[in-house]
């Protein structure tokens, strides 16, 4: 590991100033991803600015009935919070599915959103990777890609975003707030992650040096009837090969409101807006759910070894929505 400096920030403005003074610095939250990447040489910061002790560790209701989640809230505290469990259960389920208890106790909300892909070519510095070394190529396209993207990829990168939490937040129209030297800002989570295109090394729309301060969830009554389902290759904690965050409001047999986001299929959480539009106003049932999933997945462009994900995601969407519809009918 490269030798690095360390400073602990005591306030938000101070943290932003410390990073602004050193372009090779990185913010350090729980460190559950960053430190691993430093050990392998993928990340080589000259300085770590520890933001764990900043006063951003609360989950609070907003005046309009939503929730504001501080950037340094641990994954464990987020999943256990009664308002999260009651009003956005899919979010709590996603966080619990994301890692072991030990990791959840350390990992923070902001760090979870900014974690890097676990593509083996990205994490191996002896291999080319456009995300790590722009212009070097994407060997995953012809190499190991069973877990890689089927939506929104490009010839330059087929890696997927690893966060479970971000999938649920995407389904509920979360907004990310941040602080820069020029003042505060915000960006919808749907716009936080940039399309890979020909610049996969540019991962987010955050301004340089920006510090995420929190995530705001707008009020969403439908979110109280939601679920997160994750498929992985082993029963213990592992990254998804496919996941779904869904919420459903059925009235008199007709879909009144629906939220749907897919995970482990693209470089960012994939909000399934085509499927949502197809379902709104439709008669709730497996046939409508399957047709909506097919409409969303029509844009899929799988590689030779990950075409199974199209069928997997179709079946997963149908199963989760059917379960939610049956619960509503009881």
């Amino acid at each position: 590991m490269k030798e690095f400096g360390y400073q602990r920030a005591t306030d938000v403005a101070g943290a932003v100033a410390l990073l602004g003074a050193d372009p090779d610095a990185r913010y350090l939250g729980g460190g559950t991803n960053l430190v691993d990447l430093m050990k392998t040489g993928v990340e080589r910061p000259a300085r770590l600015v520890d933001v764990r002790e900043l006063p951003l560790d609360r989950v609070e209701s907003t005046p309009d009935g939503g929730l504001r989640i501080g950037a340094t809230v641990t994954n464990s505290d987020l999943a256990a919070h009664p308002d999260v469990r009651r009003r956005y259960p899919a979010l709590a389920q996603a966080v619990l599915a994301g890692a072991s208890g030990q990791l959840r106790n350390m990992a923070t909300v902001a760090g979870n959103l900014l974690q890097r892909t676990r593509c083996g070519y990205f994490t191996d510095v002896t291999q080319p990777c456009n995300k790590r070394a722009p212009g070097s190529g994407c060997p995953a396209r012809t190499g190991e890609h069973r877990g890689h993207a089927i939506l929104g990829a490009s010839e330059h990168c087929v890696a997927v975003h690893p966060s479970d939490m971000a999938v649920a937040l995407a389904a509920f129209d979360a907004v990310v707030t941040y602080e820069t030297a020029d003042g505060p800002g915000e960006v919808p989570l749907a716009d936080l992650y940039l399309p890979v295109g020909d610049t996969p090394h540019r991962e987010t729309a955050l301004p340089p040096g920006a510090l995420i301060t929190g995530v705001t969830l707008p009020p969403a009554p439908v979110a109280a009837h939601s679920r997160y389902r994750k498929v992985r290759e082993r029963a213990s904690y592992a990254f998804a090969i496919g996941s779904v965050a869904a919420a459903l409001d059925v009235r008199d047999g007709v879909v009144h409101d629906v939220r749907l986001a897919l995970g482990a299929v693209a470089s960012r959480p994939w909000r399934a807006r085509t499927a949502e539009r197809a379902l709104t106003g439709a008669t709730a049932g497996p046939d409508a759910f399957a047709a909506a999933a097919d409409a969303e997945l029509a844009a899929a462009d799988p590689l030779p070894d990950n075409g199974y994900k199209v069928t997997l995601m179709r079946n997963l969407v149908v199963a989760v929505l059917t379960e939610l519809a049956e619960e509503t009918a009881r």
Side-chain angles (χ1 to χ4, degrees):
M1 184 186 292
K2 174 186 173 182
E3 184 175 331
F4 60 90
Y6 171 90
Q7 285 182 270
R8 178 173 293 173
T10 57
D11 57 67
V12 170
V16 172
L18 284 171
L19 203 80
D22 188 347
D24 292 326
R26 297 287 188 277
Y27 294 121
L28 175 69
T32 56
N33 181 216
L34 175 60
V35 173
D36 283 347
L37 293 177
M38 291 170 62
K39 290 177 180 178
T40 60
V42 174
E43 290 275 8
R44 297 173 60 83
R47 182 185 308 275
L48 294 181
V49 177
D50 191 336
V51 297
R52 188 63 179 264
E53 301 302 319
L54 297 182
L56 303 171
D57 60 349
R58 300 181 64 183
V59 179
E60 303 172 298
S61 292
T62 58
D64 61 358
L67 281 182
R68 174 166 172 77
I69 304 164
T72 64
V73 171
T74 66
N75 287 188
S76 290
D77 287 346
L78 179 65
H81 197 280
D83 284 339
V84 175
R85 294 166 63 92
R86 177 173 56 87
R87 293 156 58 182
Y88 304 88
L91 175 57
Q93 294 164 12
V95 174
L96 290 173
S100 68
Q102 295 94 325
L103 288 173
R104 293 198 305 270
N105 288 341
M106 286 296 296
T108 62
V109 166
N112 189 302
L113 292 179
L114 296 179
Q115 62 182 298
R116 313 289 302 277
T117 184
R118 286 348 190 256
C119 172
Y121 298 102
F122 170 77
T123 56
D124 183 352
V125 295
T126 68
Q127 297 287 334
C129 171
N130 286 325
K131 186 177 285 292
R132 176 171 35 77
S136 61
C138 178
R141 292 189 62 85
T142 56
E144 171 55 47
H145 54 246
R146 288 191 71 255
H148 286 59
I150 59 172
L151 291 165
S154 77
E155 62 179 302
H156 302 284
C157 183
V158 291
V160 296
H161 196 273
S163 174
D164 293 283
M165 182 185 77
V167 180
L169 290 174
F172 303 137
D173 299 314
V175 175
V176 176
T177 56
Y178 59 84
E179 189 76 25
T180 70
D182 297 323
E186 63 179 38
V187 58
L189 188 132
D191 299 327
L192 175 65
Y193 304 106
L194 298 174
V196 287
D198 58 1
T199 55
H201 60 288
R202 296 182 59 235
E203 296 181 355
T204 77
L206 291 172
L211 172 69
I212 291 179
T213 54
V215 177
T216 301
L217 284 166
V222 68
H225 191 220
S226 63
R227 179 165 298 171
Y228 183 78
R229 180 72 54 80
K230 175 179 180 177
V231 177
R232 45 197 166 194
E233 292 185 328
R234 63 175 188 265
S236 61
Y237 290 103
F239 293 102
I241 56 174
S243 66
V244 170
L248 189 65
D249 179 6
V250 177
R251 304 182 189 180
D252 299 322
V254 175
V255 176
H256 178 74
D257 194 5
V258 60
R259 308 293 176 88
L260 195 62
L262 313 180
V265 295
S267 63
R268 61 191 189 277
W270 189 269
R271 181 68 179 270
R273 296 192 185 276
T274 298
E276 290 177 350
R277 287 192 294 269
L279 282 173
T280 303
T283 300
D287 290 343
F289 301 151
D294 287 340
E296 188 66 47
L297 293 166
D301 185 20
L303 295 165
D305 296 333
N306 69 357
Y308 74 93
K309 281 195 176 188
V310 178
T311 303
L312 170 68
M313 296 308 299
R314 181 185 193 271
N315 293 342
L316 197 56
V317 167
V318 173
V320 173
L321 290 175
T322 299
E323 290 172 7
L324 289 171
E326 289 174 348
E327 289 175 2
T328 300
R330 290 174 189 162

